[in-house]
């Protein structure tokens, strides 16, 4: 690889404040804030709005959409007249 071309790939903490979860992974994302992790080291931290801990698809708290009602409304609006 060419030197000084690619961003540095290092450990970063991603934190979801709404769910109260944080996980350590590797990324090229940069952040101004830092946090002390469980191992005693300090890592850059990035706050995210949605993670697998708070997303309705992964938590099972999603809405059930009434597809029959949608089809009927569509037929009423745009169906044969």
């Amino acid at each position: 690889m060419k030197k000084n071309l690619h961003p540095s790939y290092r450990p970063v903490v991603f934190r979801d404040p709404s769910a109260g979860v944080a996980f350590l992974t590797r990324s090229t994302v940069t952040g101004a804030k830092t946090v002390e992790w469980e191992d005693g080291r300090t890592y850059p931290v990035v706050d995210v709005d949605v993670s697998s801990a708070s997303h309705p698809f992964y938590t099972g708290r999603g809405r059930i959409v009434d597809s029959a009602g949608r089809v009927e409304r569509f037929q009423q609006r745009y169906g044969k007249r």
Side-chain angles (χ1 to χ4, degrees):
M1 289 193 320
K2 293 182 180 179
K3 293 185 179 194
N4 301 323
L5 178 66
H6 300 282
S8 62
Y9 188 66
R10 62 188 188 290
V12 176
V13 174
F14 286 91
R15 181 172 53 189
D16 184 356
S18 63
V21 222
F23 55 93
L24 177 66
T25 187
R26 295 179 57 86
S27 178
T28 59
V29 174
T30 59
K33 296 187 279 183
T34 59
V35 67
E36 187 173 331
W37 192 244
E38 299 161 354
D39 61 0
R41 295 183 182 168
T42 303
Y43 298 105
V45 64
V46 176
D47 289 329
V48 293
D49 295 329
V50 178
S51 69
S52 60
S54 64
H55 194 280
F57 178 79
Y58 295 107
T59 60
R61 291 182 279 150
R63 301 184 299 153
I64 297 176
V65 177
D66 179 22
S67 62
R70 286 180 149 188
V71 172
E72 290 170 1
R73 281 189 303 229
F74 179 82
Q75 290 297 335
Q76 287 175 351
R77 285 186 191 163
Y78 306 108
K80 294 183 181 179
R81 296 179 190 220

